[in-house]
Amino acid sequence: MLLRGLTWLVLFQLLGTAINHLFLPVLPGPIVGLLLLLVYLISRGQVGEPLSLAASSLLRYLPLLLVPPAVGVMVYAKDIAADFWAIVGALVLSLVLSMAFAGVLMQRMVKRHAHRGDRP
């Protein structure tokens, strides 16, 4: 079962990479694959047992993915310190924009849910 789930994940990544090379060079292939997987799961309406098992197995190793960025921060600490205020400004701006987007999206979802709740 685990092998079947991992096969699905690799298949979507390869499909995303193929679409990236053929049609959409702006987005990375794994991101396109994740979007395709999201569309597939939304259209299916549920996550199958093999995919759920594979995802939960890979989730245990997620902290290992944080090691290379941490090393990069240590190696390039001087460059990061030189551009500190630009980095802080970009982070604050992205935080404000994402919070505003999340707020507007939540309001629309609440209105939609309330509208659907009125129907019998």
Side-chain angles (χ1 to χ4, degrees):
M1 256 264 202
L2 178 64
L3 187 58
R4 186 181 300 163
L6 288 173
T7 303
W8 276 105
L9 291 174
V10 170
L11 178 74
F12 276 106
Q13 182 177 358
L14 289 175
L15 188 60
T17 302
I19 290 174
N20 168 266
H21 285 295
L22 295 175
F23 305 113
L24 195 65
V26 177
L27 289 175
I31 300 297
V32 175
L34 280 175
L35 292 174
L36 290 172
L37 179 62
L38 177 67
V39 168
Y40 170 74
L41 291 175
I42 288 173
S43 67
R44 190 165 180 226
Q46 66 177 356
V47 179
E49 181 67 27
L51 198 56
S52 178
L53 182 64
S56 63
S57 297
L58 289 174
L59 198 56
R60 287 185 288 171
Y61 301 108
L62 187 63
L64 290 176
L65 295 176
L66 299 177
V67 172
V71 171
V73 167
M74 290 179 186
V75 169
Y76 294 107
K78 192 181 293 186
D79 295 332
I80 291 172
D83 295 327
F84 178 75
W85 290 111
I87 293 171
V88 168
L91 288 173
V92 168
L93 181 65
S94 66
L95 174 72
V96 169
L97 288 176
S98 62
M99 291 291 285
F101 177 74
V104 169
L105 183 64
M106 188 65 186
Q107 286 179 345
R108 288 186 180 178
M109 289 176 67
V110 166
K111 286 180 185 178
R112 181 182 293 171
H113 183 68
H115 180 67
R116 287 184 181 172
D118 293 341
R119 288 187 243 159

